[in-house]
Amino acid sequence: MIVGYVIGEASPQEALVLAEKPVRVGRYVVLEYDGVKVLGLITSVTRGSPLLDLTINDIKIVQKLKNLDTSIPQFVRADVKLLHEINSGMIPDLPPGPGTPVRFAEEDELRDIFSEGDIVIGSVIGMNIPVKIKVNSLSRHLAILAATGSGKSNTVAVLSQSIASIGGSVVIFDYHGEYYDSDIRPLNTIVPNLNPLHLQPREFATLLEIRPNATIQYRFLRNAFVNYVKEVKEKLKDGNVDYEELNTNFVKHIEDKIDEIASSEKQRQQKDAADEVKNKLEEFVDRFGGTINLTVPDITSRIKPASVNVVDISHMDEEAMDAVVSHYLRRLLDSRKEFRHRGTGLGFPVVAVIEESHVFISKNQDTLTKYYASKIAREGRKFGVSMVIVSQRPKGLDETILSQMTNKIILRMVEPTDKKYVLEASDNLTEDLVEQLSSLGIGEAIIIGNLVRLPAFVKISKFTGKLGGSDPDIKGEWSTFLNPNRIGEEFG
């Protein structure tokens, strides 16, 4: 079906088309010229009239034209981004000439392009053509970005369950409790505990907020902590452990170790540093007491392959969330390194999904998670740790980490500063595509990067089971609460 014809000057990258009737942004078209068949994408559409152009300043002229028996002549122009030659797969190196016919791409032509993948993420907008993505390309990481209510949670659910269905392992850090009680299958829920026995001394010191330049405090803590962990692991090996006592007296045991070390010190400065460490230990318990558990196994032994593993952090404050997410990310990366180098550790690749990433990977604030997320962004590809960052506030994300997310699934986005920020942080995203983000419907997305051969305008598949993340029925909940039968029960 002919859409229209090329007019004006064209380049090997883009052409202007005079269309026969209005067409939708995001539709794929084909131009045949000079012996090649080129696939294009409609990136913008304008509509106007030669009789009612911008020189018209008198509304009476418009009213008179509207009252005529004949309709007002109109034109539709569309900008087309030329993507690649269908037969060769090469980028076009010749522009189409004026008058070149433009037609909608046929289903078979698009099906060949978007079938190169492992799992179905959705379908081409307006067409019944499945879009598959290449799972191996997740090694280059992924950002899922959108305005609130545009379908991020649904996208995460569809992606995660699809990865698990082909044997993959996904770990979701569930900020809002949307996934832990969902119908995602297979689902493995993980209680977000921190076991100090699996912490590194420097990591423990950071949780205690011992500054890097507080060398005396760190020396006290490190010596006490290392000795304590060594003793506990020996008891665990012998099976001579009272687990309840272990959790109850964890801080007291470390304080006793600090006192032992401090007793040999003569300078007042040393004793003051020891007391300060003990104070920080007590503050640590106040902040993370509900999270600490010395009996839980390492996170890497609680993750299952061919499953969606959900760490429900929704009940925690953000400081505790940050501690858990950062520690788990470190253990995932370290364990995969161990497996690659020595054959022990986590034996399968993992995809880590960080919801509300602007909280953990903020451009304005240094968090514990930000450090390890940055390491995974740089090193994870080599060791089989992929990262997916999910956010409705892209402009709040660390720009360096965002730029290392080679793949992006971008749903509806309206805020101009968000769109500009994403554009500046993306090598493979162009301004003409960014301009279309506000015109997308709920659940519609642009997918770019190595996941797909070409930029794809996609309607993300609908997750069919129960999933959190939808807006609450406020009116319905009020009605239920005020139900006369309920009131009678409440007041007898």
Side-chain angles (χ1 to χ4, degrees):
M1 174 182 176
I2 296 295
V3 176
Y5 302 88
V6 174
I7 60 172
E9 296 182 353
S11 73
Q13 292 79 41
E14 59 186 359
L16 179 63
V17 174
L18 185 62
E20 293 185 349
K21 60 182 180 179
V23 291
R24 179 174 177 177
V25 168
R27 289 296 301 268
Y28 293 92
V29 293
V30 173
L31 297 78
E32 298 186 49
Y33 59 93
D34 296 338
V36 297
K37 186 189 295 185
V38 175
L39 183 72
L41 178 69
I42 297 175
T43 57
S44 71
V45 178
T46 57
R47 193 173 185 175
S49 169
L51 296 183
L52 296 177
D53 58 18
L54 294 177
T55 63
I56 300 295
N57 295 310
D58 188 348
I59 194 170
K60 293 180 180 179
I61 296 176
V62 180
Q63 292 171 338
K64 288 180 180 179
L65 287 172
K66 288 291 291 181
N67 291 331
L68 294 176
D69 291 337
T70 58
S71 60
I72 298 173
Q74 297 184 18
F75 62 82
V76 176
R77 290 173 178 163
D79 289 316
V80 174
K81 182 181 181 68
L82 304 181
L83 300 174
H84 84 155
E85 294 182 15
I86 292 178
N87 295 328
S88 67
M90 303 291 288
I91 296 175
D93 57 3
L94 291 173
T100 299
V102 180
R103 62 174 174 82
F104 283 129
E106 297 176 0
E107 287 197 4
D108 289 343
E109 291 169 327
L110 294 178
R111 189 170 282 109
D112 289 342
I113 292 170
F114 293 116
S115 64
E116 295 181 0
D118 310 290
I119 57 176
V120 174
I121 191 67
S123 59
V124 175
I125 291 177
M127 306 183 77
N128 187 29
I129 300 173
V131 176
K132 291 185 176 181
I133 60 173
K134 306 167 190 172
V135 171
N136 282 347
S137 294
L138 286 173
S139 63
R140 300 281 182 173
H141 313 301
L142 167 66
I144 299 176
L145 310 171
T148 301
S150 296
K152 296 187 306 298
S153 300
N154 179 76
T155 303
V156 170
V158 170
L159 176 66
S160 300
Q161 182 162 277
S162 298
I163 291 173
S165 71
I166 61 170
S169 180
V170 180
V171 178
I172 301 177
F173 295 102
D174 192 0
Y175 189 97
H176 292 295
E178 298 172 279
Y179 309 100
Y180 83 99
D181 193 30
S182 69
D183 288 335
I184 294 176
R185 294 294 180 268
L187 182 68
N188 175 41
T189 56
I190 297 175
V191 178
N193 291 129
L194 278 179
N195 187 338
L197 301 180
H198 302 302
L199 295 174
Q200 293 178 336
R202 177 56 70 183
E203 189 178 12
F204 190 43
T206 302
L207 293 177
L208 264 64
E209 297 184 348
I210 293 177
R211 299 186 309 274
N213 62 348
T215 55
I216 299 175
Q217 291 182 26
Y218 178 66
R219 178 168 60 84
F220 274 112
L221 178 68
R222 185 183 186 282
N223 291 339
F225 182 67
V226 169
N227 290 336
Y228 172 76
V229 170
K230 182 179 179 181
E231 287 182 8
V232 172
K233 287 185 175 180
E234 287 177 355
K235 290 180 180 179
L236 288 171
K237 188 184 297 184
D238 297 336
N240 183 27
V241 175
D242 181 339
Y243 289 103
E244 184 176 348
E245 190 275 339
L246 194 66
N247 275 322
T248 303
N249 296 317
F250 160 64
V251 169
K252 181 180 182 301
H253 290 323
I254 295 184
E255 288 180 337
D256 290 343
K257 295 288 183 187
I258 292 173
D259 287 338
E260 289 177 17
I261 299 169
S263 64
S264 62
E265 300 287 350
K266 296 181 180 180
Q267 295 183 14
R268 181 66 186 175
Q269 181 184 8
Q270 309 287 337
K271 295 184 181 298
D272 289 345
D275 289 340
E276 183 61 25
V277 174
K278 291 164 66 176
N279 289 337
K280 289 183 179 296
L281 276 167
E282 291 168 6
E283 293 170 0
F284 167 80
V285 173
D286 291 339
R287 298 199 310 274
F288 303 115
T291 305
I292 297 298
N293 188 338
L294 281 81
T295 66
V296 297
D298 182 36
I299 179 63
T300 57
S301 65
R302 291 187 280 162
I303 296 172
K304 294 181 180 180
S307 299
V308 179
N309 304 272
V310 176
V311 183
D312 178 24
I313 58 175
S314 61
H315 60 284
M316 308 171 80
D317 62 41
E318 288 185 357
E319 192 173 24
M321 288 181 181
D322 185 33
V324 168
V325 176
S326 64
H327 174 63
Y328 286 9
L329 289 180
R330 180 185 72 80
R331 287 299 303 133
L332 291 176
L333 182 59
D334 287 353
S335 190
R336 284 297 298 165
K337 285 182 178 180
E338 181 183 334
F339 179 78
R340 184 63 57 88
H341 295 314
R342 296 194 294 273
T344 57
L346 187 61
F348 48 87
V350 173
V351 178
V353 180
I354 306 175
E355 282 275 356
E356 301 292 341
S357 290
H358 51 273
V359 174
F360 302 104
I361 312 174
S362 168
K363 70 175 180 180
N364 298 320
Q365 183 180 359
D366 288 330
T367 62
L368 302 175
T369 298
K370 184 175 176 178
Y371 175 79
Y372 290 106
S374 179
K375 287 198 70 173
I376 289 176
R378 295 192 310 269
E379 306 174 15
R381 176 179 61 85
K382 296 179 287 187
F383 301 103
V385 181
S386 301
M387 185 165 62
V388 178
I389 62 175
V390 186
S391 177
Q392 75 266 20
R393 291 189 60 237
K395 63 186 176 186
L397 292 167
D398 179 82
E399 186 174 6
T400 301
I401 294 177
L402 178 59
S403 67
Q404 291 172 303
M405 305 294 109
T406 302
N407 304 291
K408 292 181 177 68
I409 298 178
I410 311 175
L411 294 101
R412 177 178 169 82
M413 191 180 296
V414 179
E415 173 61 42
T417 54
D418 277 333
K419 293 194 287 188
K420 181 181 178 183
Y421 192 75
V422 172
L423 176 63
E424 291 174 348
S426 307
D427 292 335
N428 51 4
L429 185 62
T430 55
E431 190 170 356
D432 51 1
L433 292 178
V434 170
E435 287 303 314
Q436 308 316 314
L437 294 175
S438 53
S439 66
L440 295 173
I442 294 175
E444 296 179 344
I446 297 176
I447 302 179
I448 59 172
N450 299 332
L451 292 178
V452 287
R453 194 203 295 186
L454 297 172
F457 276 68
V458 178
K459 176 68 174 178
I460 303 296
S461 300
K462 178 68 175 175
F463 181 73
T464 54
K466 181 180 69 172
L467 186 68
S470 59
D471 292 335
D473 179 9
I474 296 176
K475 181 181 176 183
E477 289 189 32
W478 281 336
S479 299
T480 300
F481 186 81
L482 296 175
N483 183 288
N485 294 331
R486 179 184 174 89
I487 294 176
E489 293 172 3
E490 292 277 342
F491 295 97

